Amino acid sequence: MTGAGEDFEAARLTVRLGAIVANYRTYCRMTGPCAVAAVVKADAYGMGAAAVAPALAGAGCDTFFVARLAEGVALRGILPQARIIVLDGAQADAVPALLTHRLIPALNSLSDIAAWSAAANAARTTLDAVIHVDTGMNRLGLAADELAILSGQSAARLSGLNIVLVMSHLACGDEASPMNAQQLSRFKQALAMLPPAPASLAASHGAFLGMEYHFDLVRPGVALYGANPQNTAQNLMQPVAILTGKVLQIRGIDTGDSVGYAATFRAKRPTMLATVALGYADGIPRTLSNTGAAAIAGGRAPIVGRVSMDLITLDVTGIDVAPGDEAELLGDTVSLSEVAAAAGTNEYEILTRLRRMPRVYEGRAGQTT
Amino acid sequence: MTGAGEDFEAARLTVRLGAIVANYRTYCRMTGPCAVAAVVKADAYGMGAAAVAPALAGAGCDTFFVARLAEGVALRGILPQARIIVLDGAQADAVPALLTHRLIPALNSLSDIAAWSAAANAARTTLDAVIHVDTGMNRLGLAADELAILSGQSAARLSGLNIVLVMSHLACGDEASPMNAQQLSRFKQALAMLPPAPASLAASHGAFLGMEYHFDLVRPGVALYGANPQNTAQNLMQPVAILTGKVLQIRGIDTGDSVGYAATFRAKRPTMLATVALGYADGIPRTLSNTGAAAIAGGRAPIVGRVSMDLITLDVTGIDVAPGDEAELLGDTVSLSEVAAAAGTNEYEILTRLRRMPRVYEGRAGQTT
């Protein structure tokens, strides 16, 4: 791939770093005096961690969550001083790289705890650690039986470890589910069973469930990148990802003519089509076939026919469109939540698919990658 | 991201370059004496063009198709001598980069033809060109009215151009549709209207429609990467993409316990769960929630609960699984066609989503990237 900003690029993702910072500050205002970390896993939800993380650090964020160890290693090269927490844990084969790159594992099991404590003791040092307790996701984190064992033997099992955070994760934080209160209650019980330490339960959505979910640190992820953390209210977040593609060709077709693979669209009237340089390899879900829409030349144009790998076809009848015009498939007009709903998925999956895109970073000098 | 092969990587895509070459040779055998080009757009359908294209060149492939101009520029840096055809065309702002990097545009419209011919004449040279005629996709390529104009004025309009290929693309090449014969007929009519030149109609599936679809060049894409080009027959292609993730944690849950976001799975019996380091940011479609399966430790384990961004949860009850074991989500056991069907999409979209993955290239020395 060539660098961003080449004028021959037919499609582009614009990432508004200023909007990410503004969204981060919205969380700081809302949850203060609680600390606000940033989740930048999955390459900052597809937006590019190498540009996003420094922008957030510049806004005062000093704690970052990643999923994979490899993501943590890469982020350490970008942020030499930040606190970087690796959610995947501390399996024995991960320990050397965690140490080398000064990463803090989220310890998900007694086995993770044993591996990390052994590393501390072998080095005759104290290592920072996060304890992740499961309160109902049944995905990662200490199960209730493991927590009971740890509670009874915490001095021995946590030998050499400085617990900087005890965390858990909500399964239904984006809805008004009784499971939220249940997980909150279990989390408080878990905290009471462990040595005193800062605590964190809420991610993007959970922070809006009320102050009792905030504890010492909230850790927004998807909302930083523009998703609405309150499904039933106006979006307080600013749009971050602007996905545009150029019109490659315009053509008129007649009533009855078909469009695209498997001829799934047939024109009911003489129709003007615009073929745009964006497809599912660029992250336009194939489920938007004959369903999604684009903003173009001041109008709104439905996607007709199947989304193909590199191209989509819009019905631009009645809109004054020319080759070279840009169509917005995601942005200020076609919102992230609209695209997710039309595609039958969530905002997270839409964002994390935007990976091939050449990209331009707005709002911070010197951070174009 | 760190390089491939780090032992702490929790998930990995293995790309079998030898299988890609074998699949290419299957097309050569089947279609000979016809030439066989390779479609490597969308970063070789997610497999990594920087490794794939040299492997194919080593097997004798000298013509490569890409979609975007930027893809062509990148490929030129890798293959200095190959013939590289850019499907997006030759809009005026693309011409300088096409010239600089010796790329051949697929001319999709009279406007593309005019821009490229003007470039040839301005440089007092002859430029290679591909003419793309539309025969029913209504996506890219000369429409019938444009073809008629070109036919009547071909000497003037093609001034300075050396037509190395006239191509079109089938809309329903993967099914027994009457549209195939219709497009074949239209393509032959188009060829008769243009100066003599080599011709190409068939991609992966079209090559199996019979010799009359072969013309001078076939251009397989998705089948090179392991997809079945014959929906109703055994797959003659070798699997290429092997997607594996490590088990991060094992836990037992009780009857009635829920798993994952929105608690969409509830255990009907005591259940052993394995949480695996792969999620939709890695290309596991979220539509596989409670639907897909993995091969692990000699068994087959269903995905239970929602696919999340970085993790999936498998029901491994009755399978002897330990943390660190690898689960295959795509490969020799869980086939590409099975995954596509379970996810409700096609094989192409599955492949092109495998973009975050650290990867290992098998079968060619010195090409790990």
Side-chain angles (χ1 to χ4, degrees):
Chain A
M1 283 296 119
T2 59
E6 305 265 13
D7 63 0
F8 57 75
E9 278 165 3
R12 178 172 300 174
L13 176 67
T14 300
V15 178
R16 292 179 180 156
L17 295 173
I20 294 174
V21 166
N23 294 339
Y24 175 77
R25 289 187 170 137
T26 296
Y27 272 87
C28 294
R29 275 195 305 276
M30 188 181 78
T31 62
C34 174
V36 182
V39 185
V40 295
K41 61 194 177 72
D43 202 23
Y45 292 47
M47 300 298 100
V52 168
L56 287 165
C61 181
D62 63 2
T63 301
F64 296 84
F65 287 83
V66 296
R68 303 274 178 269
L69 179 50
E71 293 174 342
V73 171
L75 189 58
R76 176 56 74 215
I78 293 160
L79 296 178
Q81 301 305 327
R83 200 161 69 153
I84 300 172
I85 297 166
V86 177
L87 294 166
D88 272 359
Q91 293 202 355
D93 61 357
V95 166
L98 288 167
L99 291 170
T100 300
H101 301 281
R102 297 175 286 115
L103 306 171
I104 306 175
L107 303 173
N108 293 315
S109 63
L110 292 178
S111 152
D112 277 2
I113 290 171
W116 198 233
S117 173
N121 293 328
R124 298 171 185 269
T125 187
T126 300
L127 291 175
D128 288 347
V130 171
I131 293 179
H132 181 184
V133 297
D134 180 54
T135 52
M137 272 293 273
N138 283 317
R139 193 179 61 165
L140 286 178
L142 288 166
D145 56 346
E146 291 191 303
L147 179 64
I149 293 168
L150 177 62
S151 180
Q153 308 169 341
S154 64
R157 288 187 180 261
L158 299 178
S159 160
L161 302 187
N162 173 40
I163 306 304
V164 298
L165 196 69
V166 177
M167 66 173 279
S168 191
H169 193 58
L170 297 171
C172 306
D174 61 349
E175 46 180 314
S177 164
M179 198 162 169
N180 292 321
Q182 187 181 55
Q183 286 193 265
L184 176 62
S185 165
R186 286 182 188 161
F187 187 55
K188 287 178 177 169
Q189 291 166 25
L191 293 176
M193 295 169 71
L194 292 170
S200 175
L201 179 59
S204 293
H205 296 80
F208 282 89
L209 293 174
M211 278 190 63
E212 69 270 34
Y213 287 83
H214 291 176
F215 294 92
D216 302 293
L217 179 141
V218 296
R219 39 178 218 273
V222 74
L224 298 180
Y225 312 107
N228 187 353
Q230 299 172 282
N231 292 346
T232 57
Q234 191 189 346
N235 192 358
L236 298 176
M237 301 296 128
Q238 296 183 16
V240 166
I242 315 296
L243 181 64
T244 54
K246 283 188 190 171
V247 173
L248 296 174
Q249 194 165 7
I250 306 275
R251 79 176 69 238
I253 61 171
D254 293 329
T255 303
D257 284 353
S258 66
V259 177
Y261 284 116
T264 61
F265 175 83
R266 275 192 193 278
K268 294 194 171 64
R269 50 168 168 71
T271 298
M272 287 303 291
L273 297 177
T275 301
V276 174
L278 279 170
Y280 54 75
D282 300 305
I284 307 290
R286 196 160 163 268
T287 49
L288 287 183
S289 300
N290 292 306
T291 301
I296 184 165
R300 202 174 174 84
I303 295 174
V304 293
R306 285 218 181 131
V307 173
S308 47
M309 187 178 295
D310 313 287
L311 300 168
I312 52 171
T313 314
L314 304 176
D315 178 351
V316 294
T317 309
I319 308 175
D320 184 19
V321 175
D325 283 357
E326 290 210 327
E328 174 198 292
L329 271 291
L330 176 65
D332 293 316
T333 306
V334 181
S335 74
L336 181 56
S337 59
E338 175 191 341
V339 172
T345 187
N346 64 7
E347 295 155 308
Y348 308 69
E349 190 176 33
I350 298 297
L351 288 172
T352 55
R353 287 189 64 169
L354 303 173
R355 304 189 71 79
R356 177 168 77 168
M357 285 286 90
R359 56 195 66 201
V360 174
Y361 289 99
E362 287 185 354
R364 286 288 182 280
Q367 289 179 346
T368 298
T369 60
Chain B
M1 284 297 118
T2 58
E6 304 265 13
D7 63 0
F8 57 75
E9 278 164 4
R12 178 172 299 176
L13 175 68
T14 299
V15 178
R16 292 180 180 156
L17 295 174
I20 295 174
V21 166
N23 294 339
Y24 175 77
R25 290 187 169 137
T26 296
Y27 272 88
C28 294
R29 276 195 305 276
M30 187 181 78
T31 62
C34 174
V36 181
V39 185
V40 294
K41 62 194 176 72
D43 202 22
Y45 292 47
M47 300 299 100
V52 168
L56 287 165
C61 181
D62 63 2
T63 302
F64 296 84
F65 286 82
V66 296
R68 303 273 178 271
L69 180 49
E71 294 174 340
V73 171
L75 189 58
R76 175 56 74 214
I78 294 160
L79 295 178
Q81 300 306 326
R83 199 160 70 154
I84 300 173
I85 297 166
V86 177
L87 293 166
D88 272 359
Q91 292 201 356
D93 61 356
V95 166
L98 289 167
L99 291 171
T100 300
H101 300 281
R102 296 174 287 115
L103 305 171
I104 306 175
L107 303 173
N108 293 316
S109 62
L110 291 179
S111 152
D112 277 1
I113 291 171
W116 199 233
S117 173
N121 293 329
R124 297 169 185 270
T125 187
T126 301
L127 292 174
D128 286 348
V130 171
I131 293 180
H132 181 184
V133 296
D134 180 54
T135 52
M137 272 293 273
N138 283 316
R139 194 179 60 165
L140 287 178
L142 288 166
D145 55 346
E146 292 192 301
L147 180 64
I149 293 169
L150 177 62
S151 180
Q153 307 169 343
S154 64
R157 288 187 179 261
L158 299 178
S159 160
L161 303 186
N162 173 40
I163 306 303
V164 298
L165 196 69
V166 177
M167 65 174 280
S168 191
H169 193 58
L170 296 172
C172 305
D174 61 350
E175 46 180 314
S177 164
M179 198 161 168
N180 292 321
Q182 187 182 55
Q183 287 194 263
L184 176 62
S185 166
R186 286 183 187 160
F187 187 55
K188 287 178 176 169
Q189 290 167 26
L191 293 176
M193 295 169 71
L194 291 170
S200 176
L201 178 60
S204 290
H205 295 82
F208 283 89
L209 293 175
M211 279 191 61
E212 69 269 35
Y213 287 82
H214 292 176
F215 294 92
D216 302 293
L217 179 141
V218 296
R219 38 178 217 274
V222 75
L224 298 180
Y225 311 108
N228 187 353
Q230 299 173 283
N231 293 347
T232 57
Q234 192 190 344
N235 192 355
L236 299 177
M237 301 297 128
Q238 296 183 16
V240 166
I242 315 296
L243 180 64
T244 54
K246 282 188 190 170
V247 173
L248 296 174
Q249 194 164 7
I250 307 275
R251 79 177 68 238
I253 61 170
D254 293 329
T255 304
D257 284 352
S258 66
V259 177
Y261 285 117
T264 60
F265 175 83
R266 277 195 190 274
K268 294 194 172 64
R269 51 168 169 70
T271 298
M272 288 302 292
L273 297 177
T275 301
V276 174
L278 279 170
Y280 54 75
D282 300 304
I284 307 289
R286 196 160 162 269
T287 49
L288 288 183
S289 300
N290 292 305
T291 301
I296 183 166
R300 202 174 174 83
I303 295 175
V304 293
R306 285 218 182 131
V307 173
S308 46
M309 187 178 294
D310 313 287
L311 300 167
I312 52 171
T313 314
L314 303 176
D315 178 351
V316 293
T317 310
I319 308 174
D320 185 20
V321 175
D325 283 357
E326 291 210 328
E328 175 199 291
L329 271 290
L330 176 65
D332 293 316
T333 306
V334 181
S335 74
L336 181 57
S337 58
E338 175 190 339
V339 173
T345 186
N346 64 7
E347 295 155 308
Y348 308 69
E349 190 176 33
I350 299 297
L351 288 172
T352 56
R353 287 189 64 168
L354 303 172
R355 303 188 72 79
R356 177 168 77 168
M357 286 284 90
R359 54 195 67 202
V360 174
Y361 290 99
E362 287 185 353
R364 285 288 183 280
Q367 288 178 345
T368 298
T369 59

